[in-house]
C-alpha cells in the first residue's frame, strides 16, 4: 500500500514537472512571438505630416513610402527598431565603449580602448552643429525607432537573455552608429601604426623600402595602366630578426598562418559606361566585405518620397540600421557603391615631456597641457569603473611600447560624421554625386558611380585631411619635431582627386592604391591591399566586350579564379623536386595533388588550392615568425602582414632570386626552406588523422554565421546560427570569402533600369530567429544566384496615420 502511494506521488510530481516545463516553454514561445514585428494594420503616429506605409514582399523586403521625407524617416526608424534593435544597440555601444553594461567585465578591455575616443561626447557636439533640416529629419527617425521599440508586445528577445531592458534611442545614438563604421573600416590603422613603429625601429631605410614597398606590379590604378615601381634592390643584409624562430628551442608550430584569414581587407565596386551597355545607361556593381554574422550588417529597403519638384524619388538599395538613408544603391538617375579607401587617416605622434614642465607634453604645435576627462564605464554585475582620458590638441593620448602618443585620427575632427548622405538621394547626374561625395561625414570611401546617361566616375567620399607632403614617412609614427605629414582640417571638395569617363569605359576599385599620379599623395597609404583583386576586376571588366548587361557585370563578383596564387603553385611544385619526395610518401602525395587537382580556382573541393595557399603562408611564418612574436606583445592585431599587405610579392621575389645573404642560417639553401614550409602545411592539414586528399578548400573555408547571443546561450544556439556552408573564393580574387568575413551584399544596378537589378546578401531581413525572414536569401548568397533587386508584390502592409 505504501509502495503504491509512493508511486502515485512520483507520477504526480513527474506530471507536475512536465506541466511546468511545458508552461515554461509555452511562456518562452509566447514571449518570443511577442517580440516579432508588426507586419500589417494601421497605427497612429504623432508628428506625421501626411501618411506613410511599409509594404513587405514575400522576403520581407519593404517599400517604405510617405508623403514627406520626414514621414519616410519615421517609418524607416519604426521598421529598423522592430527588426534590428539589438543590432542597433550593439553598434552604438561599440562606438561609445558601453558594451560592459550588457555583457559584464569580459567586454571591459574593448570598452576602454573605444572609450579613449569619447565618441559619445563628440556625437553630442555633432548634433548641436547639425543644420536645422538635418536635425528635423534625425528627430523623425529617432521618434520612429522609439515608437517601433515600444510597439512590440515584448521587448527584443536578446534583452531577456542579458537580463536588462533596452535603452531608448537618442539622436546621438544614430551618430554613434556611423562612428561604429569608423572602427570597422579604419580601426585596423591603429595596430598598423604600432606595427610600423616597431618595424621602423628594427629595420634600416633600405630594408624597409624593400620589405614594405609602396606599390607592386599587381596594382591597377585608375589613372594609368600600372604604377612605375621604384627600382628597389634587395638589400645586402636582412634585419636581425629575419628568419629567426620566436624561441630557438621551440618546435615549428603545428598551425600555419593560413589557418587564419589574414589581410581581411575587402570590398569591390566597379562601373561600366553606357557606351558599353545594352541600355546606354551605366551599370554599377558593389560588394562590401565585412564580418558575416546574423543578422546581416545591412537592411534592404526601397524608400519613396516626394522629390520637391512635383515628382517622386525612389531609393533602392541597403540601409544601415540606426540611420535613415540608403547607403549604396540607386535613386533612379544615379547609382553608387562604396569600397574602403584605405588612405592614411590616422597618425601616432610621439609626445615629449620635460620634468621642468610637469603635466605638459610637446606636440608639433608646442607645449600644452592635455585636457583630462573622467569616463564612467558601467559594468553588468560589477561596480562601475572610472577611466581617465587625457586629450591633446591632436587627439587622445595612447600609451604603447613605453611611449606616449597623440592618436591623431580623422574620426575625431568636427565634420567626421554628418547627414550629407541624404544629398545623394536627389542627385540627378554623376557630376552632382561626385560633388556631394567629398562632403559626406563617413569613413573615407572609394565612391564609384554611374548615371542614366551612361557616365561613370570615381572619387573619395568622406573627409580627406589636408596633409603637408611627407610621402611614406607619414605611414610611420612621427615625432613632435616632424613638420612633413602633419595635417590640419579637411581638403576642399574641388581639391579631391577624381576620374570620370575613362576611354576604355570601365572603372573598378578593390582597396588597393587608386592612383599612380599626384593625387595619390592626397589619400596616402593606410594599409592598401596588394592589388591582385583590383587587377583581376580590371581584366574581367575589359573582357566583357563592346556591349554587356547587368547579369554579366554581376558575374564578376563571383570570379574565384586563383590568378594571384598560380605562381605560388608553381613554386610549391618546384620545391617538391625528386630529392624532396624521395622516400617521403606525404610529400609525393602533395606533389600529385598540386599537379593533378588544380582547377585554377578557389573551389570548395580543391585540395591543390589549399596546399598552395598554405605553402605561401608557411613561408611567411618561417621568415616573419620572430617579428610577429614581438609585434604580438605590442598589440594582438599587429603583425608583419599589417606592416605591409604586399608581403607575398616581396617573399616571391626572394624565393625566385634566392639571395644568399637573406637565407636564414638554419637552412642549407632556399630549397630546404621551401621544403620545410611544405612539411608544415602537410602536418597542419593531416594533424587530425585525416588523409591529405580530404583537406579541401571548402573544409577550411566554411562559414557558420551566428547571432551574437548564440555562444552565450548554448541551448538556443542552434536556432541562432546557420549550418556550416562551404564557400568558394578567397582574399586575392573578386569573390572574397572566409569563415567570418566576405561579401556582405552583392548589388548590381543600372540607374533607371532597376527592374534589371540583381541583389543578394548572407542573411535575411529580420534579426529574429522565429521570423520567416531570418535566413531568407542565404542560399542565394551562398550559390551566387542572381535574384531581383526590387521587391516583389506586397504581401503585408502596415500604414501610419496622423
Amino acid at each position: 500500500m505504501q509502495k503504491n502511494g509512493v508511486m502515485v506521488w512520483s507520477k504526480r510530481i513527474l506530471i507536475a514537472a512536465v506541466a511546468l516545463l511545458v508552461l515554461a516553454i509555452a511562456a518562452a514561445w509566447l514571449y518570443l512571438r511577442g517580440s516579432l514585428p508588426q507586419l500589417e494594420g494601421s497605427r497612429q503616429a504623432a508628428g506625421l505630416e501626411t501618411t506613410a506605409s511599409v509594404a513587405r514582399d514575400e522576403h520581407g523586403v519593404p517599400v517604405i513610402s510617405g508623403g514627406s521625407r520626414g514621414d519616410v524617416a519615421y517609418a524607416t526608424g519604426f521598421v529598423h527598431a522592430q527588426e534590428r534593435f539589438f543590432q542597433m544597440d550593439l553598434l552604438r555601444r561599440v562606438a561609445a565603449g558601453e558594451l560592459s553594461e550588457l555583457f559584464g567585465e569580459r567586454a571591459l578591455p574593448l570598452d576602454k580602448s573605444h572609450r579613449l575616443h569619447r565618441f559619445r561626447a563628440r556625437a553630442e557636439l555633432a548634433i548641436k552643429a547639425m543644420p536645422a533640416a538635418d536635425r528635423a529629419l534625425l528627430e523623425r527617425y529617432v521618434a520612429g525607432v522609439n515608437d517601433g521599440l515600444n510597439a512590440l508586445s515584448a521587448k527584443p528577445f536578446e534583452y531577456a537573455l542579458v537580463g536588462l531592458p533596452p535603452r531608448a534611442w537618442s539622436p546621438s545614438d544614430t551618430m554613434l552608429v556611423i562612428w561604429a563604421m569608423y572602427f570597422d573600416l579604419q580601426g585596423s590603422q591603429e595596430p598598423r601604426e604600432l606595427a610600423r613603429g616597431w618595424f621602423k625601429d628594427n629595420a634600416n631605410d633600405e630594408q624597409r623600402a624593400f620589405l614594405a614597398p609602396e606599390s607592386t606590379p599587381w596594382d591597377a590604378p585608375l589613372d594609368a595602366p600600372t604604377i612605375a615601381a621604384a627600382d628597389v634592390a634587395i638589400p645586402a643584409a636582412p634585419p636581425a630578426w629575419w628568419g629567426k624562430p620566436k624561441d630557438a628551442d621551440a618546435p615549428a608550430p603545428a598551425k600555419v598562418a593560413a589557418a587564419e584569414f589574414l589581410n581581411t581587407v575587402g570590398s569591390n565596386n566597379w562601373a561600366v559606361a553606357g557606351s558599353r551597355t545594352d541600355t546606354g545607361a551605366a551599370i554599377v556593381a558593389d560588394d562590401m566585405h565585412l564580418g558575416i554574422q546574423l543578422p546581416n550588417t545591412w537592411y534592404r529597403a526601397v524608400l519613396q518620397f516626394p522629390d520637391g519638384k512635383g515628382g517622386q524619388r525612389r531609393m533602392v538599395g541597403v540601409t544601415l540600421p540606426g540611420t535613415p538613408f540608403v547607403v549604396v544603391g540607386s535613386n533612379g538617375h544615379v547609382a553608387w557603391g562604396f569600397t574602403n579607401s584605405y588612405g592614411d587617416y590616422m597618425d601616432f605622434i610621439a609626445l615629449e615631456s620635460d620634468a621642468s614642465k610637469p603635466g605638459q607634453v610637446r606636440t608639433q604645435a608646442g607645449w600644452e597641457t592635455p585636457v583630462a576627462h573622467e569616463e564612467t564605464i558601467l559594468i553588468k554585475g560589477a561596480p562601475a569603473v572610472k577611466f581617465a582620458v587625457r586629450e591633446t590638441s591632436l587627439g587622445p593620448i595612447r600609451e604603447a611600447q613605453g611611449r606616449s602618443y597623440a592618436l591623431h585620427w580623422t574620426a575625431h575632427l568636427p565634420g567626421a560624421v554628418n547627414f550629407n548622405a541624404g544629398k545623394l538621394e536627389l542627385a540627378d547626374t554623376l557630376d552632382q554625386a561626385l560633388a556631394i561625395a567629398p562632403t559626406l561625414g563617413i569613413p573615407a570611401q572609394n565612391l564609384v558611380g554611374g548615371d542614366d546617361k551612361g557616365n561613370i566616375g570615381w572619387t573619395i567620399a568622406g573627409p580627406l585631411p589636408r596633409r603637408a607632403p611627407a610621402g611614406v614617412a607619414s605611414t610611420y609614427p612621427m615625432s613632435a619635431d616632424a613638420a612633413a605629414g602633419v595635417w590640419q582640417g579637411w581638403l576642399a571638395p574641388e581639391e579631391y582627386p577624381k576620374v570620370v569617363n575613362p576611354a576604355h569605359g570601365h572603372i573598378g576599385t578593390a582597396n588597393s592604391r587608386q592612383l599612380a599620379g599626384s593625387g595619390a599623395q592626397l589619400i596616402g597609404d593606410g594599409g592598401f591591399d596588394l592589388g591582385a583583386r583590383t587587377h583581376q576586376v580590371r581584366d574581367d571588366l575589359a573582357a566583357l566586350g563592346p556591349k554587356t548587361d547587368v547579369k554579366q557585370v554581376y558575374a564578376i563578383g563571383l570570379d574565384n579564379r586563383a590568378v594571384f596564387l598560380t605562381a605560388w603553385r608553381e613554386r610549391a611544385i618546384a620545391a617538391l623536386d625528386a630529392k624532396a619526395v624521395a622516400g617521403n610518401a606525404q610529400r609525393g602525395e602533395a606533389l600529385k595533388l598540386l599537379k593533378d587537382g588544380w582547377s585554377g580556382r578557389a573551389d570548395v573541393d580543391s585540395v591543390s588550392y589549399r596546399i598552395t595557399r598554405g605553402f605561401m603562408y608557411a613561408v611567411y611564418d618561417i621568415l616573419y615568425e620572430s617579428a610577429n612574436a614581438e609585434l604580438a606583445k605590442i598589440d594582438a592585431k599587429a603583425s608583419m602582414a599589417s606592416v605591409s599587405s604586399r608581403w607575398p610579392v616581396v617573399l616571391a621575389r626572394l624565393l625566385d632570386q634566392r639571395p644568399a645573404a637573406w637565407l636564414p642560417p638554419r637552412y642549407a639553401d632556399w630549397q630546404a626552406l621551401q621544403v620545410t614550409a611544405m612539411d608544415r602545411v602537410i602536418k597542419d592539414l593531416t594533424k587530425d588523422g585525416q588523409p591529405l586528399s580530404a583537406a579541401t578548400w571548402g573544409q577550411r573555408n566554411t562559414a557558420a554565421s551566428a547571432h551574437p547571443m548564440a555562444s552565450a546561450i548554448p541551448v538556443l544556439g542552434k536556432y541562432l546560427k546557420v549550418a556550416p556552408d562551404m564557400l568558394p573564393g578567397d582574399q586575392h580574387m573578386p569573390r572574397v570569402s572566409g569563415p567570418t568575413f566576405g561579401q556582405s551584399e552583392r548589388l548590381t544596378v543600372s540607374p533607371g533600369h532597376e527592374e534589371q537589378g540583381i541583389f543578394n546578401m548572407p542573411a535575411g531581413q529580420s534579426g529574429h530567429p522565429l521570423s520567416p525572414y531570418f535566413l531568407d536569401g542565404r542560399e542565394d548568397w551562398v550559390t551566387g544566384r542572381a535574384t531581383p533587386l526590387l521587391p516583389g508584390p506586397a504581401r503585408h502592409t502596415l500604414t501610419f496615420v496622423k
Side-chain angles (χ1 to χ4, degrees):
M1 191 75 177
Q2 186 176 5
K3 182 178 180 181
N4 289 338
V6 171
M7 291 180 65
V8 169
W9 278 105
S10 297
K11 288 180 180 179
R12 289 176 179 175
I13 292 171
L14 178 61
I15 291 170
V18 170
L20 287 173
L21 178 61
V22 170
L23 286 173
I25 293 173
W29 178 264
L30 289 172
Y31 181 89
L32 287 171
R33 295 289 301 175
S35 59
L36 284 167
Q38 181 180 352
L39 303 181
E40 297 179 322
S42 179
R43 297 189 61 86
Q44 280 195 317
L48 284 185
E49 297 176 59
T50 57
T51 61
S53 65
V54 178
R56 289 176 170 90
D57 74 353
E58 63 177 327
H59 303 293
V61 180
V63 176
I64 304 176
S65 306
S68 73
R69 186 64 184 88
D71 290 348
V72 170
Y74 172 89
T76 304
F78 189 97
V79 170
H80 279 169
Q82 293 220 319
E83 297 277 23
R84 301 283 194 90
F85 188 82
F86 189 69
Q87 174 191 6
M88 295 162 59
D89 193 8
L90 292 185
L91 286 171
R92 66 176 170 180
R93 289 176 182 275
V94 162
E98 296 170 351
L99 289 170
S100 298
E101 188 176 359
L102 287 183
F103 301 113
E105 291 181 309
R106 60 179 171 161
L108 187 57
L110 181 62
D111 276 354
K112 285 184 175 181
S113 67
H114 286 193
R115 191 66 71 94
L116 180 73
H117 305 279
R118 302 184 62 251
F119 282 137
R120 183 165 288 284
R122 298 182 198 279
E124 296 293 345
L125 293 175
I127 295 295
K128 292 178 181 178
M130 287 184 93
D134 290 348
R135 178 65 185 266
L137 184 70
L138 174 58
E139 294 284 1
R140 293 309 300 149
Y141 177 78
V142 170
V145 170
N146 287 322
D147 284 356
L149 177 63
N150 293 329
L152 293 170
S153 300
K155 300 310 178 192
F157 75 92
E158 295 93 343
Y159 295 97
L161 300 180
V162 299
L164 291 171
R167 189 173 69 202
W169 200 254
S170 70
S172 60
D173 290 332
T174 287
M175 310 306 274
L176 284 168
V177 167
I178 303 174
W179 261 301
M181 298 310 292
Y182 270 93
F183 279 122
D184 211 344
L185 299 172
Q186 295 181 5
S188 63
Q189 294 194 16
E190 189 170 343
R192 181 177 188 269
E193 282 276 325
L194 293 172
R196 288 177 71 86
W198 180 91
F199 181 54
K200 184 177 182 180
D201 292 341
N202 290 276
N204 62 36
D205 292 346
E206 292 77 16
Q207 292 163 349
R208 292 199 304 274
F210 172 66
L211 291 171
E214 296 183 53
S215 64
T216 77
W218 287 97
D219 278 306
L222 297 169
D223 58 344
T226 188
I227 297 175
D231 185 17
V232 178
I234 299 176
W241 46 262
W242 177 259
K244 291 183 178 179
K246 59 183 177 182
D247 184 334
D249 298 323
K255 186 176 182 181
V256 298
E260 307 299 329
F261 196 71
L262 293 183
N263 299 345
T264 49
V265 298
S267 292
N268 307 316
N269 60 10
W270 52 88
V272 179
S275 59
R276 296 182 56 197
T277 71
D278 58 345
T279 65
I283 299 174
V284 176
D286 181 80
D287 55 272
M288 297 177 284
H289 306 163
L290 296 167
I292 304 300
Q293 57 193 7
L294 300 178
N296 190 40
T297 301
W298 312 110
Y299 182 83
R300 292 178 65 183
V302 174
L303 310 182
Q304 292 186 163
F305 48 87
D307 63 2
K309 304 173 187 177
Q312 288 283 313
R313 186 58 52 120
R314 181 178 69 173
M315 300 294 305
V316 183
V318 296
T319 64
L320 177 63
T323 68
F325 303 115
V326 165
V327 177
V328 301
S330 174
N331 68 13
H333 297 283
V334 182
W336 64 92
F338 292 136
T339 68
N340 201 11
S341 63
Y342 283 94
D344 188 8
Y345 308 128
M346 181 187 292
D347 291 326
F348 272 44
I349 312 296
L351 301 173
E352 293 184 8
S353 59
D354 190 319
S356 66
K357 296 179 173 64
Q360 291 189 307
V361 296
R362 188 169 79 89
T363 71
Q364 289 95 340
W367 289 95
E368 61 179 86
T369 301
V371 178
H373 302 278
E374 185 178 78
E375 296 285 316
T376 301
I377 302 178
L378 301 179
I379 306 173
K380 179 185 174 184
V385 168
K386 301 293 184 181
F387 181 65
V389 177
R390 293 189 302 149
E391 190 154 9
T392 71
S393 58
L394 296 179
I397 296 177
R398 167 79 147 83
E399 305 291 341
Q401 299 173 267
R403 302 174 185 172
S404 296
Y405 295 95
L407 203 165
H408 198 31
W409 187 12
T410 56
H412 296 149
L413 269 65
V417 169
N418 62 35
F419 257 32
N420 286 345
K423 296 179 180 179
L424 285 172
E425 295 178 341
L426 300 179
D428 290 325
T429 67
L430 173 71
D431 285 343
Q432 290 176 4
L434 294 180
I436 293 167
T439 73
L440 301 188
I442 61 174
Q445 301 289 292
N446 292 306
L447 181 145
V448 166
D451 64 21
D452 54 1
K453 303 296 189 298
N455 301 297
I456 60 173
W458 161 88
T459 191
I460 296 293
L464 282 180
R466 183 181 300 280
R467 184 187 294 277
V472 72
S474 66
T475 67
Y476 295 97
M478 293 183 286
S479 72
D481 294 318
V486 178
W487 50 270
Q488 294 291 335
W490 308 125
L491 289 177
E494 60 271 16
E495 297 176 276
Y496 275 52
K498 63 180 179 179
V499 174
V500 179
N501 290 332
H504 46 62
H506 58 258
I507 284 175
T509 77
N511 312 118
S512 59
R513 182 170 163 178
Q514 303 93 337
L515 301 171
S518 58
Q521 290 292 325
L522 299 176
I523 302 169
D525 183 350
F528 287 138
D529 200 6
L530 60 80
R533 188 158 37 91
T534 314
H535 196 286
Q536 196 162 330
V537 166
R538 182 190 66 184
D539 291 352
D540 284 348
L541 289 167
L544 288 173
K547 291 292 180 181
T548 190
D549 59 25
V550 167
K551 288 185 178 180
Q552 291 178 327
V553 173
Y554 164 80
I556 291 174
L558 303 178
D559 180 7
N560 69 327
R561 290 177 301 124
V563 175
F564 178 72
L565 278 187
T566 297
W568 278 93
R569 170 180 171 262
E570 294 169 359
R571 294 183 187 99
I573 290 174
L576 295 175
D577 58 12
K579 180 181 177 182
V581 301
N584 191 310
Q586 284 191 317
R587 291 177 189 169
E589 184 183 11
L591 179 61
K592 179 175 173 51
L593 289 166
L594 282 166
K595 287 183 174 180
D596 300 340
W598 180 253
S599 65
R601 296 177 178 275
D603 291 327
V604 295
D605 59 353
S606 177
V607 179
S608 180
Y609 180 83
R610 189 175 181 187
I611 293 173
T612 298
R613 187 185 192 273
F615 173 70
M616 180 180 75
Y617 274 99
V619 173
Y620 165 89
D621 273 331
I622 288 171
L623 296 175
Y624 288 135
E625 186 176 7
S626 175
N628 284 334
E630 292 303 311
L631 289 169
K633 297 174 184 177
I634 299 169
D635 190 286
K637 295 182 179 179
S639 69
M640 288 303 296
S642 59
V643 168
S644 175
S645 65
R646 301 179 176 109
W647 62 265
V649 178
V650 174
L651 300 192
R653 184 178 174 188
L654 289 171
L655 295 186
D656 294 345
Q657 297 187 21
R658 304 190 174 195
W662 283 69
L663 177 68
R666 54 189 169 133
Y667 298 102
D669 51 33
W670 282 98
Q671 191 77 1
L673 183 149
Q674 293 179 79
V675 170
T676 300
M678 184 57 69
D679 285 343
R680 287 193 180 192
V681 176
I682 294 170
K683 182 178 181 180
D684 179 58
L685 299 186
T686 60
K687 64 179 179 293
D688 295 325
Q690 72 169 354
L692 187 61
S693 59
T696 64
W697 176 239
Q699 183 193 65
R700 152 66 177 82
N701 208 45
T702 299
S705 303
H707 187 282
M709 300 302 294
S711 59
I713 312 294
V715 175
L716 298 177
K718 66 179 181 179
Y719 302 107
L720 298 175
K721 62 178 66 172
V722 297
D725 292 303
M726 292 186 178
L727 301 178
D730 195 11
Q731 61 196 129
H732 294 306
M733 55 192 63
R735 190 169 189 166
V736 168
S737 66
T740 60
F741 182 85
Q743 295 169 317
S744 66
E745 48 76 45
R746 302 187 191 105
L747 182 152
T748 306
V749 62
S750 180
H753 303 273
E754 285 75 17
E755 71 284 351
Q756 299 177 11
I758 296 171
F759 183 89
N760 51 58
M761 68 183 190
Q765 291 289 91
S766 178
H768 198 300
L770 294 187
S771 170
Y773 312 133
F774 184 53
L775 297 176
D776 191 290
R778 168 81 177 191
E779 185 179 351
D780 296 332
W781 176 79
V782 170
T783 62
R785 186 180 300 126
T787 50
L789 169 64
L790 289 178
R795 295 290 182 89
H796 306 281
T797 300
L798 175 64
T799 303
F800 301 93
V801 296
K802 290 184 179 181

